[in-house]
Amino acid sequence: MDTFVIRGGNRLHGTLTVNGSKNAALKAFAAALLTSQPVRLSNVPEVEDVARIIEMLRKLGVVVRRLRQGTYSVIARHIEHGNLDPDTAKRIRASIVLTGPLLARTGAVSFPYPGGCVIGKRPIDVFEAGYRAFGARLHERKGMFHVAAKRLIGTTFFFGTVSVTGTETLMMTAVLAEGTTVLKNCACEPDVEELSKFLNACGAKISGAGSPTITIHGVRRLSGGSYSVMPDRIEAGTFLILAAATGNRLTVDRCIPGHLDSVLDVLRKMGVRFRAQKNSLTVIPPKRLTAVSVKTREYPGFPTDLQAPVCVLQTQAEGRSLIHETIYEGRLYWTEELKRMGADVRLFDPHRLEIQGPTALRGRDIESPDIRAGMAFIIAALCTRGTSTINDAYQIDRGYERIEERLKAVGASIRRVRN
Ligand code: EPU
């Protein structure tokens, strides 16, 4: 496992460019399964989770070619079977989004309980109920789920829990189902709307994506198409927070400011100012940050994926703040390690954390538990005056492409040690 060695305290300056969205790219690869014709995907971030999805597609007989950095051709002309490779599928949660399109194309899928970040229970009951609503049969044996349907019939389905991958997966399942599907209480993340636009460009009939109710009129087949992955709003938010936490004026380029309203709102309340252009934001940090409490919510609320970075930011702000993590029940435990760096944090229960700031953080040897907490540790390490070692760089590589090179380019002292 690679390790990052970071020496904090450098002045950072310049521009950080935002890559394509990891989570949107993963769903675009899944969508390519819905058509037998070629699909071309560009602005794909070269991150480990994308590599895992590609591995899984290839094991299904799908031809995936890397045309150049960030551009892929995917041809799912013949799908050999609907069995997801259990070893890879267990490693990333997004493996489950393959199951809807696969079911629609092959009539039968099997998959293990999907893995991913250790951030909470992450059940799949929404998917099970959804597939049943389309008329599929489902059973579990020896840790594998088996879903089968000769025909998928359009349905009306209410999401008891708002789920991003659930919404995307059932939306994709409905595209080739017979008749009309109405999905209610859907996730409204921009990722969902993007996916619907791509599918519609390939001939799907989806309306309402990005709102709580999505209507899908089933079609017999989709054509091929091309899609350039939208900028990653989580990566953009991470970079904005990094600039604010380290007190540096940095420009975050190739982002969509309209996707970052909740993040900009919190940062502004903390005293950060921005110079905004169409696709870029320059962070103008204040002399002193003011503590502001944050509650994670579904979009357009404050994203759970930025909870860890913003917590590091709170340690640098003056006063007491609370973080209320409402999406996951296991996503605050990483702060135990942050405490070892000197943070004054107190966990009230699995959902609520108190932070007292500002604190001078100390360099440490830290384990990276998941993508976002790993990135938060990088920010924390950059805030210190010492040296930190972040083990298990793979976790960060899952979601952030060549992060050390990009941070080095703005003046950070960070290097990768290959073990
Ligand atoms: N949930 C259920 N049952 C289900 C599905 C979800 O109870 O069948 C619960 C989850 O346990 C969680 C809540 O619903 O408490 C919301 O989870 P959601 O399904 O929306 O999460 P997800 O779709 O699995 C995606 C992102 C996550 C991001 C969440 C929330 C992908 C591949 N992953 O996960 O991203 O945290 O939405 O925005 O799109 C990351 O990129 O680091 C990451 C974890």
Side-chain angles (χ1 to χ4, degrees):
M1 288 289 181
D2 292 359
T3 294
F4 288 128
V5 180
I6 299 166
R7 195 166 43 75
N10 280 16
R11 225 184 75 68
L12 309 182
H13 52 88
T15 299
L16 285 163
T17 302
V18 176
N19 281 354
S21 156
K22 164 187 78 97
N23 287 341
L26 295 172
K27 319 310 165 44
F29 276 98
L33 284 173
L34 286 168
T35 172
S36 58
Q37 292 177 22
V39 163
R40 189 187 169 97
L41 302 178
S42 54
N43 201 32
V44 174
E46 304 273 2
V47 293
E48 291 294 339
D49 275 15
V50 166
R52 298 293 85 72
I53 278 279
I54 293 172
E55 267 169 37
M56 277 190 281
L57 290 183
R58 286 185 173 142
K59 284 188 179 154
L60 298 169
V62 176
V63 180
V64 184
R65 288 199 193 96
R66 186 173 184 266
L67 304 177
R68 58 171 181 271
Q69 163 96 13
T71 302
Y72 289 83
S73 133
V74 187
I75 308 176
R77 187 160 294 128
H78 305 290
I79 300 179
E80 286 164 11
H81 56 81
N83 310 323
L84 285 191
D85 172 49
D87 292 335
T88 318
K90 276 185 203 154
R91 293 177 75 180
I92 62 166
R93 169 82 180 179
S95 59
I96 196 151
V97 296
L98 299 177
T99 62
L102 261 186
L103 181 64
R105 280 292 299 280
T106 66
V109 295
S110 69
F111 59 96
Y113 201 88
C117 296
V118 192
I119 54 182
K121 276 209 292 292
R122 306 189 87 180
I124 60 162
D125 54 306
V126 158
F127 298 82
E128 296 179 49
Y131 290 143
R132 288 201 171 101
F134 281 104
R137 292 177 318 280
L138 191 142
H139 69 275
E140 188 189 348
R141 203 173 52 223
K142 294 187 183 158
M144 293 290 286
F145 291 89
H146 302 269
V147 190
K150 281 208 177 71
R151 317 156 53 205
L152 292 166
I153 314 288
T155 184
T156 294
F157 183 78
F158 179 84
F159 286 93
T161 307
V162 179
S163 165
V164 180
T165 45
T167 300
E168 293 162 330
T169 306
L170 296 192
M171 184 170 84
M172 287 195 277
T173 309
V175 163
L176 297 180
E178 289 176 31
T180 298
T181 297
V182 180
L183 301 176
K184 297 182 178 177
N185 200 24
C186 295
C188 301
E189 267 67 4
D191 319 41
V192 179
E193 195 179 348
E194 277 281 301
L195 180 61
S196 81
K197 282 189 197 156
F198 171 39
L199 291 167
N200 283 345
C202 297
K205 291 194 173 143
I206 305 170
S207 58
S211 81
T213 303
I214 304 179
T215 304
I216 305 115
H217 299 291
V219 294
R220 286 175 70 83
R221 61 181 62 82
L222 289 189
S223 66
S226 56
Y227 170 60
S228 174
V229 178
M230 68 172 176
D232 195 316
R233 72 196 158 87
I234 302 302
E235 184 170 280
T238 305
F239 291 161
L240 296 175
I241 292 172
L242 183 151
T246 56
N248 287 292
R249 186 183 278 230
L250 285 171
T251 297
V252 177
D253 194 21
R254 268 204 242 156
C255 61
I256 302 179
H259 288 173
L260 293 161
D261 290 339
S262 60
V263 183
L264 297 178
D265 179 55
V266 168
L267 293 179
R268 282 197 180 106
K269 285 176 180 153
M270 294 181 78
V272 180
R273 287 184 300 122
F274 297 94
R275 221 181 35 233
Q277 283 181 324
K278 191 161 170 260
N279 292 317
S280 85
L281 288 162
T282 299
V283 179
I284 305 165
K287 284 217 164 55
R288 286 190 195 144
L289 290 158
T290 310
V292 169
S293 294
V294 173
K295 193 187 247 189
T296 64
R297 304 297 299 186
E298 291 87 3
Y299 188 85
F302 192 92
T304 171
D305 291 343
L306 290 177
Q307 171 256 110
V310 89
C311 177
V312 173
L313 179 63
Q314 307 290 37
T315 68
Q316 303 306 297
E318 221 158 89
R320 171 185 174 272
S321 50
L322 277 177
I323 286 189
H324 190 168
E325 168 58 63
T326 71
I327 309 292
Y328 296 113
E329 78 290 352
R331 211 177 198 181
L332 290 174
Y333 297 123
W334 69 278
T335 54
E336 278 306 310
E337 291 262 2
L338 191 63
K339 256 192 210 167
R340 295 203 307 114
M341 295 181 82
D344 185 356
V345 296
R346 196 151 64 100
L347 195 60
F348 292 132
D349 61 48
H351 289 281
R352 288 178 315 139
L353 181 83
E354 182 190 58
I355 303 139
Q356 186 66 49
T359 40
L361 299 177
R362 295 187 292 269
R364 279 280 181 184
D365 193 348
I366 316 155
E367 291 302 316
S368 168
D370 71 80
I371 306 177
R372 310 300 173 188
M375 190 61 213
F377 284 135
I378 291 189
I379 299 174
L382 291 172
C383 290
T384 73
R385 299 243 156 234
T387 301
S388 302
T389 306
I390 302 180
N391 298 310
D392 203 355
Y394 177 83
Q395 286 300 333
I396 297 163
D397 295 337
R398 287 182 55 199
Y400 298 89
E401 182 180 338
R402 295 174 295 103
I403 192 68
E404 73 283 17
E405 290 175 25
R406 296 157 78 199
L407 293 179
K408 227 187 277 175
V410 292
S413 166
I414 171 168
R415 65 191 164 88
R416 180 187 291 267
V417 178
R418 301 199 184 270
N419 298 315

